[in-house]
Amino acid sequence: MTVVYFDCFAGAAGDMLLGALVDAGAPSEQIRDVVARLHLGGQVDVEFREVVKAGLRATKADVTAPTEPAVRTLPEIRAIIERAGLEDPVAAKAQHVFDLLARAEARVHGAATGEVHLHEAGMADSIIDVVGTVAALHHFNPTEVVCSGLPLGRGVTRSAHGTLPVPGPAVLELLRGVPVVAAGDHETVTPTGAALLVGLSTSFGFAPPMIVESVGYGAGSRDTDYPNVVRALVGSEAVAHSGVWKPQRTLVMEANLDDLNPEVLPYAVEQLIVAGAQDAWVTPILMKKGRPAFTLSALIRPEDH
């Protein structure tokens, strides 16, 4: 099983997460193809370049997008993603991230989720950060995504709503239930970064037992006296055996199901466990033409295949 661990000691933003995953091995051309399919208009692109942050080499994701005076609502962003013809898991997870953002903004500003205006988070560069990060993570097809505790930062930041305290109110809404530490003297976690980590992570805390196979560093825009980067560790799950950590090999079998009575799904999961699966689960997805469906997944040993 593939494990991805995000080490966010300096904080997190969408471009930092995207840069870290590309630096760890996600193909940059594949990400650029996904961006082109969003059809955001104008000269929209993302390029990846090597930079140095406080002596540490990292990859910087630079998004080129026209200045947009208009703001977008959640339904408008969902329509952009639906029209892009992305792979179902990528589209569904990207939608989920923006759902989280919209709910947080709606709670903070006392508005309906579908009507709240996503200012910075609805701009073309933020849409690219979200969809690009989801697509880059999908390349590794991880069964577990773990994120470290997050530094809260302090001070104030300017936004479309005026001057706000750091961490921003929407960030705090997103980080409910997430371990945080009081560190940093500026904005360390952006709303987009927080929504991506909450929407994509299966847990938060220390790095899980794993065999590290690649490490990527994604650079932020700010220059500080410490490396302003996110570190992504990609590897395989490990289990203890005779005092030595060895990789545990398992398989994930999946099937997409639509036009199905969802009441049978709990029975299907139960029967997969009875048949010998180590675990089984159901994930709601959105298929082409907006069809709601489910992915039925089972975790099995290779010898049971």
Side-chain angles (χ1 to χ4, degrees):
M1 293 190 295
T2 300
V3 179
V4 173
Y5 179 69
F6 289 115
D7 184 8
C8 303
F9 60 90
D15 59 339
M16 296 169 73
L17 295 168
L18 176 55
L21 290 171
V22 169
D23 199 52
S28 59
E29 288 307 313
Q30 178 180 318
I31 306 305
R32 296 184 70 187
D33 177 67
V34 167
V35 169
R37 294 168 69 177
L38 292 171
H39 297 295
L40 291 170
Q43 296 296 320
V44 175
D45 195 8
V46 58
E47 295 184 352
F48 301 93
R49 60 187 174 93
E50 187 174 291
V51 299
V52 175
K53 291 290 180 178
L56 190 63
R57 184 210 60 80
T59 292
K60 180 74 173 68
D62 289 324
V63 174
T64 302
T67 302
E68 298 176 303
V71 295
R72 294 183 174 93
T73 62
L74 178 62
E76 290 171 328
I77 295 174
R78 291 181 68 91
I80 290 172
I81 296 173
E82 289 172 2
R83 289 195 301 264
L86 307 174
E87 292 185 66
D88 289 339
V90 174
K93 289 179 181 178
Q95 300 277 25
H96 177 55
V97 171
F98 279 110
D99 286 347
L100 292 174
L101 269 168
R103 288 178 205 154
E105 292 284 358
R107 183 177 177 84
V108 166
H109 300 295
T113 301
E115 298 174 358
V116 67
H117 289 100
L118 299 175
H119 293 272
E120 291 85 356
M123 302 291 280
D125 55 350
S126 293
I127 296 174
I128 290 170
D129 286 344
V130 169
V131 177
T133 299
V134 172
L137 186 64
H138 180 67
H139 165 76
F140 296 108
N141 192 28
T143 53
E144 187 176 8
V145 179
V146 184
C147 178
S148 67
L150 297 171
L152 283 180
R154 64 180 179 180
V156 295
T157 185
R158 297 174 185 265
S159 75
H161 298 284
T163 301
L164 296 174
V166 171
V171 171
L172 282 181
E173 285 296 325
L174 287 161
L175 296 185
R176 288 174 180 261
V178 172
V180 298
V181 295
D185 56 3
H186 53 266
E187 183 182 36
T188 51
V189 180
T190 67
T192 302
L196 278 165
L197 292 171
V198 171
L200 299 178
S201 298
T202 54
S203 63
F204 287 80
F206 295 110
M210 62 186 294
I211 307 297
V212 177
E213 296 164 1
S214 66
V215 181
Y217 294 85
S221 299
R222 191 188 301 269
D223 289 317
T224 60
D225 57 359
Y226 55 87
N228 183 28
V229 301
V230 164
R231 184 160 48 183
L233 283 64
V234 181
S236 55
E237 185 182 17
V239 294
H241 180 71
S242 300
V244 179
W245 289 104
K246 293 187 177 181
Q248 180 186 34
R249 300 188 65 83
T250 54
L251 297 176
V252 176
M253 297 187 67
E254 294 182 333
N256 290 347
L257 308 172
D258 64 349
D259 194 22
L260 176 76
N261 184 347
E263 293 179 355
V264 306
L265 292 173
Y267 177 76
V269 171
E270 177 184 349
Q271 290 303 303
L272 286 169
I273 299 296
V274 170
Q278 293 179 298
D279 198 2
W281 61 93
V282 174
T283 306
I285 61 172
L286 193 67
M287 301 183 71
K288 65 181 181 181
K289 298 183 179 179
R291 298 200 315 273
F294 300 90
T295 296
L296 178 62
S297 307
L299 188 66
I300 65 173
R301 292 180 293 270
E303 59 267 27
D304 294 335
H305 181 244

